[in-house]
Amino acid sequence: MSALCVMGWLSFFVTVKEHANELWQNGRAKEVIGPIRVVHQFVDMPTETAEFYNVTSGNMEKVKGCIPAMGYSFAAGTTDGPGSFAFEQGTTTSNPFWNAVRNFLATPTQEDLRCHGAKPIFLATGRIKLPYQWQPRVVSTQVALIGNVVIAGVPGEFTTMSGRRLREAIRTATNSVSDEEDYSIIIAGLCNTYSDYITTPEEYQVQRYEGASTIYGPHTLTIYLKLYQELVTAAIHKKEVEPGPNPPDFNLKRLISFLTPVLYDTPKWGRSFGDCIQQPKSVVHPGDVVTASFVSGHPRNNLMTENTYLSVERLLENDTWVMIATDADWETKFKWVRTSVILGSSQVYITWEVPENVKPGEYRIKHFGHYRYILGGVYAYEGVSNTFKVIVPDPNIH
Ligand SMILES: *[C@@H]1O[C@H](CO)[C@@H](O)[C@H](O)[C@H]1NC(C)=O
Ligand SMILES: *[C@@H]1O[C@H](CO)[C@@H](O)[C@H](O)[C@H]1NC(C)=O
């Protein structure tokens, strides 16, 4: 399973862990026992079909996916983040001027227009190939089974009602496979592929922002319901699934970047990388915000993946320092500021919001970075602040 989903799920489990003990104590928890299995499949959405019971016509219809496209209401944005120009949500007709702009990029075919139904096509994204596909045709679908917990990793943003229907569809599949197990079903969104929104066919008809951004047409959800039922059934039966078509290779090396490369870094005159040029206050209390600033290189010289640009450390009784916060903690912030473009100088500001449950003692802040030498090469450096005291008021003294 890919790292992106695992990360999402881990953070989910970590969040859950905080309350797990509480649940365990009051007897509402259930132990998860059983096998761990994962099934994954790439799917070419425009060629997928599914069965759909149409309430209006009373017929079972065969429906299909469409080549990706965004509707006019996508350009209108949402109520909380409106777009530019005069686009309005709920737009189900098109406009000749914007159609001309659209056709310059790629003209949707008659088949696209028919397939997308209620959606007037604003961008025929699936037909734009330059410089890459604008939106994916091939999505990544997967189901993980941990005992009787089903985690469906889905490649986009499901609306609340779409999520409920997906859970129901998976429940129907698990019930038909085994009638004794009571499966818990979790939908984990934005896994591996970003394919915008997934609305129900009814939500799609009104073409608000989410409907306009449901890129494989009115039956995007209908297709996912079928696919995830198949995946969960395969997972429970320990059956292999076809790997599916390969998605395009978006290896970072092949992507065009609009970021200019880091040319070089130099520290300020008379300074070295990692010098602490703004020291933290010498005495702080829970709730205070501590700031330290360091002479730095460009953070893009090394993205510190699985690592940290900063640490907050506490001195133990045996004179060793222990890391108590990194850049992954909410209580810290890391801000990089370019101070001279010509010299390539910059500095970072590291802030630490002293938590309420902090242990009193001696602390310090460290910064880890890399600089690019003007004659070539990227080198690591680190910096450390003066130590400062954290004083926790005695709760017994008022
Ligand atoms: C259901 O059938 C009606 C009548 O044929 C059609 O207009 C409508 O688009 C169909 N609904 C969906 C969600 O496909
Ligand atoms: C110092 O104490 C900590 C915690 O008690 C311990 O984990 C660490 O190994 C000790 N370090 C040394 C050098 O003794």
Side-chain angles (χ1 to χ4, degrees), residues 81-104:
S84 309
F85 308 111
F87 297 106
E88 283 179 10
Q89 289 200 79
T91 301
T92 49
T93 55
S94 62
N95 163 305
F97 172 71
W98 287 109
N99 283 351
V101 175
R102 168 199 72 192
N103 291 349
F104 177 75

Side-chain angles (χ1 to χ4, degrees), residues 316-322:
L316 299 179
E317 274 167 13
N318 60 11
D319 265 356
T320 52
W321 289 95
V322 58

Side-chain angles (χ1 to χ4, degrees), residues 52 54 56-57 61 201 205 219:
F52 175 72
N54 186 328
T56 317
S57 68
E61 292 169 2
Q205 300 305 318
H219 288 293

Side-chain angles (χ1 to χ4, degrees), residues 116-163:
H116 284 272
K119 178 200 290 171
I121 296 179
F122 177 61
L123 285 174
T125 47
R127 300 211 177 267
I128 308 177
K129 298 279 160 49
L130 274 174
Y132 320 104
Q133 285 184 6
W134 278 31
Q135 285 181 318
R137 273 182 72 118
V138 175
V139 297
S140 162
T141 63
Q142 62 191 331
V143 159
L145 201 62
I146 306 173
N148 59 359
V149 177
V150 175
I151 304 176
V154 297
E157 302 185 55
F158 277 59
T159 61
T160 308
M161 194 47 79
S162 293

